[in-house]
Amino acid sequence: MSRLRRVSLRLLSAFALLAAAPVHAQQAVAPDVAGPAAIAAEAGELRLQCGGIGLDESLRMRVEGGLHALLIFFVSVDGSYLADVATRIDDPLGDRRVEASCGPIGLVDVPAPGRYRIATYGGITQEHWMDLKPGGGARIQLRWLE
């Protein structure tokens, strides 16, 4: 192996360790910092978790999005994130509903595969019907003029 390649590999290894160090240190000092977003609403197994404020929480929720039935982004047309959007998830067949003031990210868990209604009231009402399943990893981006 050439000297240049060995130096490059050592540098890459050092950078990888430095990049990982804060994550391990943060987890060791405050394990609940990386905990789940607060459950804003729950009806049986129908849940709506809201959060995404701050870079750490936003990144965590984006990564976890694939483990939930639905990942919702609340944004304005210019790409700015929105918070405090009145959000309702309906399970019409299970006669369940959850409501919360949500944003900029929402995570939805459903009890069973089916068609669910997502309704939001951010100045202009939006209503979307989506086929969701537990852990399905669906995504939607809801946009408003601000």
Side-chain angles (χ1 to χ4, degrees):
M1 189 179 311
S2 74
R3 177 172 162 72
L4 180 60
R5 186 174 177 142
R6 274 186 272 136
V7 170
S8 296
L9 288 175
R10 284 184 189 150
L11 285 173
L12 285 174
S13 297
F15 284 128
L17 286 173
L18 286 174
V23 173
H24 295 298
Q26 181 182 23
Q27 289 174 349
V29 173
D32 59 331
V33 169
I39 295 176
E42 183 172 3
E45 293 179 43
L46 181 63
R47 292 186 193 105
L48 173 59
Q49 299 176 38
C50 300
I53 306 291
L55 184 60
D56 289 343
E57 187 174 87
S58 175
L59 289 174
R60 181 184 46 73
M61 290 182 78
R62 288 169 187 254
V63 168
E64 289 178 0
L67 302 174
H68 298 270
L70 179 64
L71 170 64
I72 306 171
F73 294 100
F74 301 88
V75 296
S76 67
V77 292
D78 70 0
S80 302
Y81 287 100
L82 302 173
D84 299 323
V85 177
T87 305
R88 186 180 78 221
I89 311 295
D90 292 310
D91 174 7
L93 294 178
D95 197 29
R96 289 176 260 217
R97 166 190 288 180
V98 292
E99 296 179 283
S101 180
C102 209
I105 298 174
L107 296 172
V108 178
D109 293 304
V110 298
R115 194 153 178 82
Y116 294 83
R117 179 173 53 191
I118 293 86
T120 57
Y121 311 94
I124 297 174
T125 300
Q126 292 189 38
E127 184 174 294
H128 303 273
W129 285 88
M130 297 186 70
D131 292 317
L132 301 175
K133 61 183 179 181
R139 299 168 73 117
I140 189 169
Q141 189 173 75
L142 304 176
R143 292 182 176 263
W144 288 268
L145 291 172
E146 271 282 298

